[in-house]
Amino acid sequence: TSASNLFSMYHQFDRTSRSGPKAFVSEYAVTGKDAGTGSLLASLAEAAFLIGLEKNSDIVEMASYAPLFVNTNDRRWNPDAIVFNSSHLYGTPSYWVQRFFAESSGATLLTSTLKGNSTSLVASAISWENNGKDYIRIKLQAVNFGANSVNMKVLVTGLDPNVMRVTGSKKTVLTSTNVMDENSFSQPEKVVPHESLLEMAEEDMTVVLPPHSFSSFDLLKESAKIKMPISDSSSHQKTTTV
């Protein structure tokens, strides 16, 4: 289908009966002129659709992008996730969107509300344990399908400030100068995610969503260091950090 149509299918499974069989979205992709041979525009619509599937993962158990591979010397379908010839390969922007979601497979969906009147934004929040450490990662995912940058205010609630705190980790952004940009054998990384440090991360912050982009903001939820005064028998105060 077209990019705009797939983007609008973000709500496709919101009202699906929870008492029926589970769903397997066995093949999906943006096709036609919006897709080219693997455009940024196509990948953004697919990212929004996948956020919708992730939000309905109690009923949508599986999904698969298709087609997965194409030999450039025997191309029979556009687009494909991974393009190869006898000696080289590259991933399309749609491939890199798959990587976003594969990384957090099995995550816990957090309750989130997107406020505002924009019809070009889709966002969600998820968390999962990371490498068995005693913190979880809160990952905010947002698709800006519009042509203008957006300042998005993020407010994290429900954390006991005396026990847990949110700190910065990184932000990852998939975008390009033109929404129809593609990767190729000569420019295999023209449209790929770029990571950078997320500075000033806290429970109440503002992040910038570039035009035509898919962004992920990773916030580490850690145990807070609490200082408690302790009085000993000689009446001198000590401070300990736990």
Side-chain angles (χ1 to χ4, degrees), residues 70-81:
V70 63
N71 185 326
T72 191
N73 298 305
D74 188 25
R75 184 182 289 272
R76 303 185 184 187
W77 183 264
N78 287 320
D80 307 86

Side-chain angles (χ1 to χ4, degrees), residues 95-131:
Y95 163 79
W96 291 106
V97 163
Q98 299 299 310
R99 290 283 298 269
F100 267 97
F101 289 88
E103 180 188 38
S104 57
S105 179
T108 298
L109 183 68
L110 301 177
T111 300
S112 61
T113 302
L114 183 61
K115 297 182 179 180
N117 57 5
S118 175
T119 58
S120 63
L121 293 181
V122 168
S124 68
I126 57 177
S127 68
W128 76 98
E129 294 182 1
N130 188 31
N131 297 326

Side-chain angles (χ1 to χ4, degrees), residues 1-12 45 48-49 122 145:
T1 186
S2 67
S4 60
N5 192 41
L6 191 63
F7 181 86
S8 68
M9 292 174 70
Y10 159 71
H11 293 294
Q12 180 74 13
F49 180 64
V122 168
F145 203 58

Side-chain angles (χ1 to χ4, degrees), residues 169-189:
S169 175
K170 67 178 181 179
K171 62 178 178 180
T172 308
V173 181
L174 178 71
T175 190
S176 192
T177 55
N178 189 304
V179 75
M180 293 306 296
D181 279 351
E182 302 180 359
N183 294 332
S184 62
F185 288 114
S186 60
Q187 292 182 293
E189 296 185 352

Side-chain angles (χ1 to χ4, degrees), residues 9-241:
M9 292 174 70
Y10 159 71
H11 293 294
Q12 180 74 13
F13 292 92
D14 287 1
R15 291 170 293 277
T16 299
S17 171
R18 266 48 188 174
S19 61
K22 304 295 184 181
F24 174 23
V25 183
S26 58
E27 291 193 14
Y28 70 89
V30 171
T31 58
K33 64 179 183 178
D34 287 348
T37 56
S39 69
L40 171 65
L41 177 64
S43 70
L44 297 180
E46 291 156 6
F49 180 64
L50 281 173
I51 289 178
L53 297 190
E54 195 171 61
K55 281 191 169 185
N56 287 282
S57 55
D58 60 319
I59 191 67
V60 182
E61 289 201 331
M62 297 183 293
S64 61
Y65 178 95
L68 182 60
F69 293 105
V70 63
N71 185 326
T72 191
N73 298 305
D74 188 25
R75 184 182 289 272
R76 303 185 184 187
W77 183 264
N78 287 320
D80 307 86
I82 299 172
V83 184
F84 67 95
N85 58 23
S86 58
S87 59
H88 295 84
L89 61 84
Y90 66 87
T92 64
S94 295
Y95 163 79
W96 291 106
V97 163
Q98 299 299 310
R99 290 283 298 269
F100 267 97
F101 289 88
E103 180 188 38
S104 57
S105 179
T108 298
L109 183 68
L110 301 177
T111 300
S112 61
T113 302
L114 183 61
K115 297 182 179 180
N117 57 5
S118 175
T119 58
S120 63
L121 293 181
V122 168
S124 68
I126 57 177
S127 68
W128 76 98
E129 294 182 1
N130 188 31
N131 297 326
K133 294 182 180 180
D134 59 352
Y135 59 82
I136 62 174
R137 179 182 295 171
I138 301 173
K139 185 173 183 179
L140 308 172
Q141 302 174 142
V143 175
N144 182 5
F145 203 58
N148 299 311
S149 62
V150 175
N151 293 329
M152 185 171 73
K153 183 179 177 64
V154 177
L155 179 63
V156 180
T157 61
L159 296 179
D160 185 341
N162 294 319
V163 179
M164 305 298 293
R165 65 189 177 98
V166 167
T167 60
S169 175
K170 67 178 181 179
K171 62 178 178 180
T172 308
V173 181
L174 178 71
T175 190
S176 192
T177 55
N178 189 304
V179 75
M180 293 306 296
D181 279 351
E182 302 180 359
N183 294 332
S184 62
F185 288 114
S186 60
Q187 292 182 293
E189 296 185 352
K190 185 175 184 177
V191 188
V192 297
H194 291 280
E195 292 185 1
S196 59
L197 292 176
L198 178 60
E199 300 178 356
M200 302 297 293
E202 50 191 10
E203 288 90 333
D204 188 350
M205 65 179 185
T206 298
V207 296
V208 178
L209 307 179
H212 297 129
S213 64
F214 179 34
S215 303
S216 171
F217 302 91
D218 289 357
L219 307 176
L220 295 180
K221 179 183 170 188
E222 298 178 311
S223 297
K225 293 181 178 179
I226 308 169
K227 292 184 176 181
M228 300 186 302
I230 300 176
S231 298
D232 59 16
S233 57
S234 59
S235 297
H236 294 296
Q237 275 199 339
K238 299 179 180 179
T239 300
T240 183
T241 300

